Amino acid sequence: MPAEVRAALLSDLPALGLECGFDPLAELRAAGLSPAVLRDPALFIPAERAAQVLEGAAQTSGCEDLGLRLAQRRQLAHLGLSGLVLSQQPTLRAALETAEQYRHLLNEALYTTVEEHDGQALVRCQLSFPDAGARQTTELATAAIVQLFRLILGPSWHPQQVTFIHRAPADLITHRRFFGCPVSFGEFCNGFTCPAADLDRINPAAQTALAEQLRRLLDALPAPQEREPMDRLRSTMILLLPLGRASLPACAQALGTSERSLQRLLDREGTAFSTLLADLRAELAQSYLADPRLSVGRIAEQLGYANPSAFVRWFKTRFGQPPQAWREAAFPARPERLGPGR
C-alpha cells in the first residue's frame, strides 16, 4: 500500500488555482483523484498522486513557487486533531517526536530526521518516494516542518539556512520571504539548519493536561491500515540511502525488526537485499538524471556513494554507459550539461 497524506494538503487548491491560473479539477483528474478530496480534508489519498497534482499545477501555471504559496495558506486546522496535540508539546523536540508517533495521521510520506553537531542541528525533510520530480511537494514538506517550528517557537522564528537538492527557480522572492534566511539549491539534502538549543526551548503555550487528553483521543482512533512489508522496506531504503546507511542491518533497525526476520521476508519474495538495493538505485538514478541541473556528484550522494567515481562505475556496469552520456541520450533536447562534480 503506497504512503498516504491527508486530503487537507490540497484544501486550498481552488483558491491557489484562481491566484496562479490553473484548473484544480483538471489537475485532480490528471492525477486520477476525485474532486471529493477538496470537500473532505479528512480523507487519505496516495502521496504520489498528491505530488502529481502539485507538479502538474506548477507546470500548467508556470508558478515555480506553488508549493510555498500553498504552505503560506496552511493553518493549524489543516493538521486536524494531531495539530492541536503538536501545539501543546513542551518543547520542539517533543513535538517532533510526537509528529513521528502520529505520522500516519499527518503525512506518511514525510520523514524528518535531526542531526546535531557542535551546537547546530540539521533537519532533513525527505519523502518516502523518489522525489527528483516532486520539487513542489518537497518545498511544501520542508515549509510544513518550518511552520511546526514556528508553532512552538513563535511566528518570527526562522532557520539559519534552507537547502534543496533540486535546481533553483528563476525567482527566489517567495522562498526568501517565507523562510527568512538564505536558500540554496543543488545541495546535498532537503532541509534546514538551526541552533540545536532551539529544539529544547520551552513552549510557553503548552498545557500538559490538555496534551494528554488530546493524545488519548488520537490513540482511540482506528489503527492505520498496515502497509505491505516490502513497501515499508523500500521507503526505508530511500530514506537511508542519502545517509549512506542503506544496509540490511540498518533497515532492520529502522523498521523495528530483526535482521533474520527481514532476511526471511526477502527470501519469501524471492529476492536478495543487494538486488533490491541495485534495482532501487537504478530507478532513482534515472529519476534524478531527468533533472539536467542536478549534477552527477549530487546524484551520487543521494544514492549513498562516497564519491562520484564509484557511482559512475556502477552506472556504467548497469546501463552500459556513463550517467552523463545516458542523460544526453535520454534527454537530447535539453541543453544544460553538468559534469561529475557538484
PDB file of all heavy atoms in Angstrom, residues 207-238:
ATOM      1  N   GLN A 207       0.164  23.112  27.402  1.00  0.00           N
ATOM      2  CA  GLN A 207      -0.664  22.708  28.538  1.00  0.00           C
ATOM      3  C   GLN A 207      -0.609  21.184  28.628  1.00  0.00           C
ATOM      4  O   GLN A 207      -1.212  20.484  27.817  1.00  0.00           O
ATOM      5  CB  GLN A 207      -2.103  23.178  28.349  1.00  0.00           C
ATOM      6  CG  GLN A 207      -2.248  24.690  28.246  1.00  0.00           C
ATOM      7  CD  GLN A 207      -3.699  25.108  28.101  1.00  0.00           C
ATOM      8  OE1 GLN A 207      -4.577  24.655  28.842  1.00  0.00           O
ATOM      9  NE2 GLN A 207      -3.961  25.980  27.132  1.00  0.00           N
ATOM     10  N   THR A 208       0.113  20.695  29.612  1.00  0.00           N
ATOM     11  CA  THR A 208       0.368  19.261  29.715  1.00  0.00           C
ATOM     12  C   THR A 208      -0.923  18.454  29.826  1.00  0.00           C
ATOM     13  O   THR A 208      -1.098  17.432  29.145  1.00  0.00           O
ATOM     14  CB  THR A 208       1.261  18.965  30.930  1.00  0.00           C
ATOM     15  OG1 THR A 208       2.464  19.741  30.822  1.00  0.00           O
ATOM     16  CG2 THR A 208       1.621  17.489  30.990  1.00  0.00           C
ATOM     17  N   ALA A 209      -1.842  18.909  30.643  1.00  0.00           N
ATOM     18  CA  ALA A 209      -3.092  18.170  30.840  1.00  0.00           C
ATOM     19  C   ALA A 209      -3.893  18.089  29.545  1.00  0.00           C
ATOM     20  O   ALA A 209      -4.438  17.038  29.184  1.00  0.00           O
ATOM     21  CB  ALA A 209      -3.926  18.824  31.940  1.00  0.00           C
ATOM     22  N   LEU A 210      -3.951  19.207  28.825  1.00  0.00           N
ATOM     23  CA  LEU A 210      -4.673  19.223  27.554  1.00  0.00           C
ATOM     24  C   LEU A 210      -4.004  18.301  26.542  1.00  0.00           C
ATOM     25  O   LEU A 210      -4.683  17.564  25.807  1.00  0.00           O
ATOM     26  CB  LEU A 210      -4.737  20.648  27.014  1.00  0.00           C
ATOM     27  CG  LEU A 210      -5.406  20.827  25.632  1.00  0.00           C
ATOM     28  CD1 LEU A 210      -6.834  20.322  25.657  1.00  0.00           C
ATOM     29  CD2 LEU A 210      -5.347  22.294  25.203  1.00  0.00           C
ATOM     30  N   ALA A 211      -2.680  18.332  26.513  1.00  0.00           N
ATOM     31  CA  ALA A 211      -1.943  17.479  25.583  1.00  0.00           C
ATOM     32  C   ALA A 211      -2.253  16.002  25.824  1.00  0.00           C
ATOM     33  O   ALA A 211      -2.431  15.232  24.880  1.00  0.00           O
ATOM     34  CB  ALA A 211      -0.442  17.733  25.695  1.00  0.00           C
ATOM     35  N   GLU A 212      -2.329  15.613  27.088  1.00  0.00           N
ATOM     36  CA  GLU A 212      -2.611  14.211  27.415  1.00  0.00           C
ATOM     37  C   GLU A 212      -4.035  13.823  27.009  1.00  0.00           C
ATOM     38  O   GLU A 212      -4.271  12.719  26.514  1.00  0.00           O
ATOM     39  CB  GLU A 212      -2.396  13.963  28.902  1.00  0.00           C
ATOM     40  CG  GLU A 212      -0.927  13.949  29.308  1.00  0.00           C
ATOM     41  CD  GLU A 212      -0.128  12.936  28.501  1.00  0.00           C
ATOM     42  OE1 GLU A 212      -0.592  11.778  28.366  1.00  0.00           O
ATOM     43  OE2 GLU A 212       0.934  13.296  27.987  1.00  0.00           O
ATOM     44  N   GLN A 213      -4.974  14.727  27.223  1.00  0.00           N
ATOM     45  CA  GLN A 213      -6.352  14.452  26.808  1.00  0.00           C
ATOM     46  C   GLN A 213      -6.449  14.278  25.295  1.00  0.00           C
ATOM     47  O   GLN A 213      -7.129  13.370  24.794  1.00  0.00           O
ATOM     48  CB  GLN A 213      -7.264  15.586  27.256  1.00  0.00           C
ATOM     49  CG  GLN A 213      -7.443  15.685  28.770  1.00  0.00           C
ATOM     50  CD  GLN A 213      -8.304  16.878  29.168  1.00  0.00           C
ATOM     51  OE1 GLN A 213      -9.018  17.438  28.347  1.00  0.00           O
ATOM     52  NE2 GLN A 213      -8.224  17.265  30.429  1.00  0.00           N
ATOM     53  N   LEU A 214      -5.763  15.144  24.569  1.00  0.00           N
ATOM     54  CA  LEU A 214      -5.785  15.062  23.115  1.00  0.00           C
ATOM     55  C   LEU A 214      -5.110  13.777  22.625  1.00  0.00           C
ATOM     56  O   LEU A 214      -5.552  13.153  21.668  1.00  0.00           O
ATOM     57  CB  LEU A 214      -5.093  16.286  22.515  1.00  0.00           C
ATOM     58  CG  LEU A 214      -5.804  17.626  22.732  1.00  0.00           C
ATOM     59  CD1 LEU A 214      -4.926  18.783  22.278  1.00  0.00           C
ATOM     60  CD2 LEU A 214      -7.138  17.658  21.985  1.00  0.00           C
ATOM     61  N   ARG A 215      -4.036  13.390  23.309  1.00  0.00           N
ATOM     62  CA  ARG A 215      -3.356  12.150  22.949  1.00  0.00           C
ATOM     63  C   ARG A 215      -4.287  10.949  23.096  1.00  0.00           C
ATOM     64  O   ARG A 215      -4.299  10.044  22.257  1.00  0.00           O
ATOM     65  CB  ARG A 215      -2.123  11.941  23.827  1.00  0.00           C
ATOM     66  CG  ARG A 215      -0.858  12.613  23.338  1.00  0.00           C
ATOM     67  CD  ARG A 215       0.278  12.323  24.308  1.00  0.00           C
ATOM     68  NE  ARG A 215       1.516  12.893  23.852  1.00  0.00           N
ATOM     69  CZ  ARG A 215       2.379  12.289  23.036  1.00  0.00           C
ATOM     70  NH1 ARG A 215       2.098  11.078  22.580  1.00  0.00           N
ATOM     71  NH2 ARG A 215       3.509  12.864  22.671  1.00  0.00           N
ATOM     72  N   ARG A 216      -5.062  10.945  24.152  1.00  0.00           N
ATOM     73  CA  ARG A 216      -5.978   9.828  24.375  1.00  0.00           C
ATOM     74  C   ARG A 216      -7.029   9.765  23.262  1.00  0.00           C
ATOM     75  O   ARG A 216      -7.439   8.671  22.839  1.00  0.00           O
ATOM     76  CB  ARG A 216      -6.653   9.957  25.749  1.00  0.00           C
ATOM     77  CG  ARG A 216      -5.731   9.584  26.912  1.00  0.00           C
ATOM     78  CD  ARG A 216      -6.522   9.369  28.176  1.00  0.00           C
ATOM     79  NE  ARG A 216      -7.028  10.616  28.722  1.00  0.00           N
ATOM     80  CZ  ARG A 216      -6.349  11.387  29.569  1.00  0.00           C
ATOM     81  NH1 ARG A 216      -5.139  11.032  29.976  1.00  0.00           N
ATOM     82  NH2 ARG A 216      -6.875  12.509  30.022  1.00  0.00           N
ATOM     83  N   LEU A 217      -7.446  10.938  22.780  1.00  0.00           N
ATOM     84  CA  LEU A 217      -8.392  10.963  21.664  1.00  0.00           C
ATOM     85  C   LEU A 217      -7.752  10.389  20.396  1.00  0.00           C
ATOM     86  O   LEU A 217      -8.374   9.622  19.659  1.00  0.00           O
ATOM     87  CB  LEU A 217      -8.866  12.390  21.406  1.00  0.00           C
ATOM     88  CG  LEU A 217      -9.801  13.002  22.462  1.00  0.00           C
ATOM     89  CD1 LEU A 217     -10.073  14.464  22.134  1.00  0.00           C
ATOM     90  CD2 LEU A 217     -11.115  12.221  22.529  1.00  0.00           C
ATOM     91  N   LEU A 218      -6.501  10.766  20.145  1.00  0.00           N
ATOM     92  CA  LEU A 218      -5.816  10.246  18.974  1.00  0.00           C
ATOM     93  C   LEU A 218      -5.599   8.739  19.077  1.00  0.00           C
ATOM     94  O   LEU A 218      -5.774   8.002  18.103  1.00  0.00           O
ATOM     95  CB  LEU A 218      -4.456  10.941  18.798  1.00  0.00           C
ATOM     96  CG  LEU A 218      -4.460  12.391  18.329  1.00  0.00           C
ATOM     97  CD1 LEU A 218      -3.033  12.897  18.188  1.00  0.00           C
ATOM     98  CD2 LEU A 218      -5.172  12.525  16.994  1.00  0.00           C
ATOM     99  N   ASP A 219      -5.233   8.293  20.262  1.00  0.00           N
ATOM    100  CA  ASP A 219      -4.975   6.867  20.460  1.00  0.00           C
ATOM    101  C   ASP A 219      -6.248   6.036  20.303  1.00  0.00           C
ATOM    102  O   ASP A 219      -6.181   4.829  20.023  1.00  0.00           O
ATOM    103  CB  ASP A 219      -4.364   6.616  21.844  1.00  0.00           C
ATOM    104  CG  ASP A 219      -2.958   7.189  21.962  1.00  0.00           C
ATOM    105  OD1 ASP A 219      -2.324   7.395  20.910  1.00  0.00           O
ATOM    106  OD2 ASP A 219      -2.505   7.428  23.101  1.00  0.00           O
ATOM    107  N   ALA A 220      -7.390   6.675  20.490  1.00  0.00           N
ATOM    108  CA  ALA A 220      -8.665   5.947  20.375  1.00  0.00           C
ATOM    109  C   ALA A 220      -9.118   5.806  18.925  1.00  0.00           C
ATOM    110  O   ALA A 220     -10.051   5.051  18.637  1.00  0.00           O
ATOM    111  CB  ALA A 220      -9.756   6.665  21.170  1.00  0.00           C
ATOM    112  N   LEU A 221      -8.449   6.535  18.021  1.00  0.00           N
ATOM    113  CA  LEU A 221      -8.817   6.425  16.604  1.00  0.00           C
ATOM    114  C   LEU A 221      -8.421   5.051  16.071  1.00  0.00           C
ATOM    115  O   LEU A 221      -7.501   4.412  16.587  1.00  0.00           O
ATOM    116  CB  LEU A 221      -8.108   7.521  15.800  1.00  0.00           C
ATOM    117  CG  LEU A 221      -8.523   8.961  16.103  1.00  0.00           C
ATOM    118  CD1 LEU A 221      -7.659   9.938  15.313  1.00  0.00           C
ATOM    119  CD2 LEU A 221      -9.990   9.173  15.768  1.00  0.00           C
ATOM    120  N   PRO A 222      -9.120   4.567  15.031  1.00  0.00           N
ATOM    121  CA  PRO A 222      -8.770   3.262  14.459  1.00  0.00           C
ATOM    122  C   PRO A 222      -7.316   3.222  14.013  1.00  0.00           C
ATOM    123  O   PRO A 222      -6.780   4.227  13.513  1.00  0.00           O
ATOM    124  CB  PRO A 222      -9.715   3.138  13.252  1.00  0.00           C
ATOM    125  CG  PRO A 222     -10.848   4.065  13.565  1.00  0.00           C
ATOM    126  CD  PRO A 222     -10.263   5.199  14.347  1.00  0.00           C
ATOM    127  N   ALA A 223      -6.687   2.098  14.216  1.00  0.00           N
ATOM    128  CA  ALA A 223      -5.291   1.935  13.818  1.00  0.00           C
ATOM    129  C   ALA A 223      -5.178   2.040  12.302  1.00  0.00           C
ATOM    130  O   ALA A 223      -6.083   1.641  11.572  1.00  0.00           O
ATOM    131  CB  ALA A 223      -4.758   0.589  14.284  1.00  0.00           C
ATOM    132  N   PRO A 224      -4.069   2.603  11.802  1.00  0.00           N
ATOM    133  CA  PRO A 224      -3.915   2.721  10.357  1.00  0.00           C
ATOM    134  C   PRO A 224      -3.754   1.358   9.708  1.00  0.00           C
ATOM    135  O   PRO A 224      -3.278   0.413  10.325  1.00  0.00           O
ATOM    136  CB  PRO A 224      -2.610   3.536  10.220  1.00  0.00           C
ATOM    137  CG  PRO A 224      -1.842   3.204  11.468  1.00  0.00           C
ATOM    138  CD  PRO A 224      -2.887   3.071  12.537  1.00  0.00           C
ATOM    139  N   GLN A 225      -4.185   1.269   8.449  1.00  0.00           N
ATOM    140  CA  GLN A 225      -4.015   0.027   7.715  1.00  0.00           C
ATOM    141  C   GLN A 225      -2.525  -0.214   7.492  1.00  0.00           C
ATOM    142  O   GLN A 225      -1.795   0.670   7.050  1.00  0.00           O
ATOM    143  CB  GLN A 225      -4.725   0.111   6.361  1.00  0.00           C
ATOM    144  CG  GLN A 225      -4.690  -1.184   5.566  1.00  0.00           C
ATOM    145  CD  GLN A 225      -5.459  -1.057   4.273  1.00  0.00           C
ATOM    146  OE1 GLN A 225      -6.116  -0.046   4.046  1.00  0.00           O
ATOM    147  NE2 GLN A 225      -5.372  -2.067   3.431  1.00  0.00           N
ATOM    148  N   GLU A 226      -2.087  -1.412   7.859  1.00  0.00           N
ATOM    149  CA  GLU A 226      -0.669  -1.731   7.750  1.00  0.00           C
ATOM    150  C   GLU A 226      -0.238  -1.771   6.283  1.00  0.00           C
ATOM    151  O   GLU A 226      -0.886  -2.373   5.440  1.00  0.00           O
ATOM    152  CB  GLU A 226      -0.388  -3.089   8.395  1.00  0.00           C
ATOM    153  CG  GLU A 226       1.081  -3.479   8.413  1.00  0.00           C
ATOM    154  CD  GLU A 226       1.919  -2.580   9.297  1.00  0.00           C
ATOM    155  OE1 GLU A 226       1.353  -1.918  10.191  1.00  0.00           O
ATOM    156  OE2 GLU A 226       3.142  -2.544   9.087  1.00  0.00           O
ATOM    157  N   ARG A 227       0.849  -1.099   5.988  1.00  0.00           N
ATOM    158  CA  ARG A 227       1.378  -1.131   4.643  1.00  0.00           C
ATOM    159  C   ARG A 227       2.092  -2.454   4.397  1.00  0.00           C
ATOM    160  O   ARG A 227       2.559  -3.108   5.320  1.00  0.00           O
ATOM    161  CB  ARG A 227       2.349   0.033   4.439  1.00  0.00           C
ATOM    162  CG  ARG A 227       1.697   1.402   4.530  1.00  0.00           C
ATOM    163  CD  ARG A 227       2.733   2.498   4.530  1.00  0.00           C
ATOM    164  NE  ARG A 227       3.477   2.496   3.282  1.00  0.00           N
ATOM    165  CZ  ARG A 227       4.644   3.124   3.133  1.00  0.00           C
ATOM    166  NH1 ARG A 227       5.184   3.755   4.143  1.00  0.00           N
ATOM    167  NH2 ARG A 227       5.265   3.089   1.977  1.00  0.00           N
ATOM    168  N   GLU A 228       2.177  -2.824   3.142  1.00  0.00           N
ATOM    169  CA  GLU A 228       2.866  -4.045   2.776  1.00  0.00           C
ATOM    170  C   GLU A 228       4.318  -3.980   3.245  1.00  0.00           C
ATOM    171  O   GLU A 228       4.970  -2.930   3.099  1.00  0.00           O
ATOM    172  CB  GLU A 228       2.815  -4.257   1.266  1.00  0.00           C
ATOM    173  CG  GLU A 228       1.432  -4.595   0.734  1.00  0.00           C
ATOM    174  CD  GLU A 228       0.935  -5.930   1.260  1.00  0.00           C
ATOM    175  OE1 GLU A 228       1.762  -6.836   1.470  1.00  0.00           O
ATOM    176  OE2 GLU A 228      -0.285  -6.057   1.464  1.00  0.00           O
ATOM    177  N   PRO A 229       4.854  -5.076   3.805  1.00  0.00           N
ATOM    178  CA  PRO A 229       6.231  -5.061   4.317  1.00  0.00           C
ATOM    179  C   PRO A 229       7.264  -4.619   3.285  1.00  0.00           C
ATOM    180  O   PRO A 229       8.186  -3.868   3.605  1.00  0.00           O
ATOM    181  CB  PRO A 229       6.454  -6.514   4.753  1.00  0.00           C
ATOM    182  CG  PRO A 229       5.092  -7.028   5.060  1.00  0.00           C
ATOM    183  CD  PRO A 229       4.175  -6.353   4.085  1.00  0.00           C
ATOM    184  N   MET A 230       7.113  -5.062   2.034  1.00  0.00           N
ATOM    185  CA  MET A 230       8.085  -4.666   1.019  1.00  0.00           C
ATOM    186  C   MET A 230       7.979  -3.188   0.681  1.00  0.00           C
ATOM    187  O   MET A 230       8.992  -2.543   0.359  1.00  0.00           O
ATOM    188  CB  MET A 230       7.907  -5.522  -0.243  1.00  0.00           C
ATOM    189  CG  MET A 230       8.324  -6.977  -0.070  1.00  0.00           C
ATOM    190  SD  MET A 230      10.075  -7.184   0.372  1.00  0.00           S
ATOM    191  CE  MET A 230      10.865  -6.688  -1.175  1.00  0.00           C
ATOM    192  N   ASP A 231       6.771  -2.623   0.755  1.00  0.00           N
ATOM    193  CA  ASP A 231       6.616  -1.175   0.559  1.00  0.00           C
ATOM    194  C   ASP A 231       7.335  -0.406   1.659  1.00  0.00           C
ATOM    195  O   ASP A 231       8.000   0.603   1.408  1.00  0.00           O
ATOM    196  CB  ASP A 231       5.134  -0.784   0.551  1.00  0.00           C
ATOM    197  CG  ASP A 231       4.417  -1.205  -0.717  1.00  0.00           C
ATOM    198  OD1 ASP A 231       5.113  -1.470  -1.718  1.00  0.00           O
ATOM    199  OD2 ASP A 231       3.177  -1.274  -0.708  1.00  0.00           O
ATOM    200  N   ARG A 232       7.198  -0.892   2.888  1.00  0.00           N
ATOM    201  CA  ARG A 232       7.859  -0.236   4.022  1.00  0.00           C
ATOM    202  C   ARG A 232       9.374  -0.343   3.897  1.00  0.00           C
ATOM    203  O   ARG A 232      10.103   0.610   4.186  1.00  0.00           O
ATOM    204  CB  ARG A 232       7.382  -0.856   5.335  1.00  0.00           C
ATOM    205  CG  ARG A 232       5.899  -0.633   5.611  1.00  0.00           C
ATOM    206  CD  ARG A 232       5.479  -1.306   6.908  1.00  0.00           C
ATOM    207  NE  ARG A 232       6.210  -0.780   8.041  1.00  0.00           N
ATOM    208  CZ  ARG A 232       6.782  -1.525   8.988  1.00  0.00           C
ATOM    209  NH1 ARG A 232       6.735  -2.843   8.904  1.00  0.00           N
ATOM    210  NH2 ARG A 232       7.405  -0.967   9.991  1.00  0.00           N
ATOM    211  N   LEU A 233       9.856  -1.487   3.460  1.00  0.00           N
ATOM    212  CA  LEU A 233      11.298  -1.667   3.283  1.00  0.00           C
ATOM    213  C   LEU A 233      11.817  -0.729   2.195  1.00  0.00           C
ATOM    214  O   LEU A 233      12.855  -0.081   2.373  1.00  0.00           O
ATOM    215  CB  LEU A 233      11.606  -3.119   2.929  1.00  0.00           C
ATOM    216  CG  LEU A 233      13.065  -3.437   2.569  1.00  0.00           C
ATOM    217  CD1 LEU A 233      14.000  -3.046   3.700  1.00  0.00           C
ATOM    218  CD2 LEU A 233      13.227  -4.912   2.232  1.00  0.00           C
ATOM    219  N   ARG A 234      11.092  -0.636   1.109  1.00  0.00           N
ATOM    220  CA  ARG A 234      11.500   0.239   0.006  1.00  0.00           C
ATOM    221  C   ARG A 234      11.570   1.698   0.468  1.00  0.00           C
ATOM    222  O   ARG A 234      12.542   2.404   0.190  1.00  0.00           O
ATOM    223  CB  ARG A 234      10.515   0.079  -1.150  1.00  0.00           C
ATOM    224  CG  ARG A 234      10.726   1.045  -2.306  1.00  0.00           C
ATOM    225  CD  ARG A 234       9.586   0.889  -3.310  1.00  0.00           C
ATOM    226  NE  ARG A 234       9.507   2.018  -4.201  1.00  0.00           N
ATOM    227  CZ  ARG A 234      10.206   2.148  -5.309  1.00  0.00           C
ATOM    228  NH1 ARG A 234      11.063   1.234  -5.656  1.00  0.00           N
ATOM    229  NH2 ARG A 234      10.049   3.216  -6.081  1.00  0.00           N
ATOM    230  N   SER A 235      10.546   2.158   1.182  1.00  0.00           N
ATOM    231  CA  SER A 235      10.535   3.536   1.682  1.00  0.00           C
ATOM    232  C   SER A 235      11.706   3.772   2.623  1.00  0.00           C
ATOM    233  O   SER A 235      12.347   4.829   2.586  1.00  0.00           O
ATOM    234  CB  SER A 235       9.217   3.823   2.398  1.00  0.00           C
ATOM    235  OG  SER A 235       8.129   3.766   1.503  1.00  0.00           O
ATOM    236  N   THR A 236      11.996   2.800   3.473  1.00  0.00           N
ATOM    237  CA  THR A 236      13.101   2.931   4.416  1.00  0.00           C
ATOM    238  C   THR A 236      14.428   3.018   3.684  1.00  0.00           C
ATOM    239  O   THR A 236      15.301   3.826   4.046  1.00  0.00           O
ATOM    240  CB  THR A 236      13.117   1.727   5.383  1.00  0.00           C
ATOM    241  OG1 THR A 236      11.870   1.678   6.089  1.00  0.00           O
ATOM    242  CG2 THR A 236      14.253   1.841   6.382  1.00  0.00           C
ATOM    243  N   MET A 237      14.595   2.233   2.644  1.00  0.00           N
ATOM    244  CA  MET A 237      15.836   2.273   1.872  1.00  0.00           C
ATOM    245  C   MET A 237      16.019   3.630   1.198  1.00  0.00           C
ATOM    246  O   MET A 237      17.132   4.175   1.167  1.00  0.00           O
ATOM    247  CB  MET A 237      15.843   1.147   0.835  1.00  0.00           C
ATOM    248  CG  MET A 237      15.924  -0.249   1.451  1.00  0.00           C
ATOM    249  SD  MET A 237      15.646  -1.588   0.262  1.00  0.00           S
ATOM    250  CE  MET A 237      17.176  -1.497  -0.675  1.00  0.00           C
ATOM    251  N   ILE A 238      14.937   4.197   0.674  1.00  0.00           N
ATOM    252  CA  ILE A 238      15.013   5.522   0.047  1.00  0.00           C
ATOM    253  C   ILE A 238      15.467   6.568   1.058  1.00  0.00           C
ATOM    254  O   ILE A 238      16.264   7.457   0.751  1.00  0.00           O
ATOM    255  CB  ILE A 238      13.650   5.908  -0.559  1.00  0.00           C
ATOM    256  CG1 ILE A 238      13.335   5.026  -1.770  1.00  0.00           C
ATOM    257  CG2 ILE A 238      13.626   7.378  -0.978  1.00  0.00           C
ATOM    258  CD1 ILE A 238      11.964   5.250  -2.362  1.00  0.00           C
TER     259      ILE A 238
END
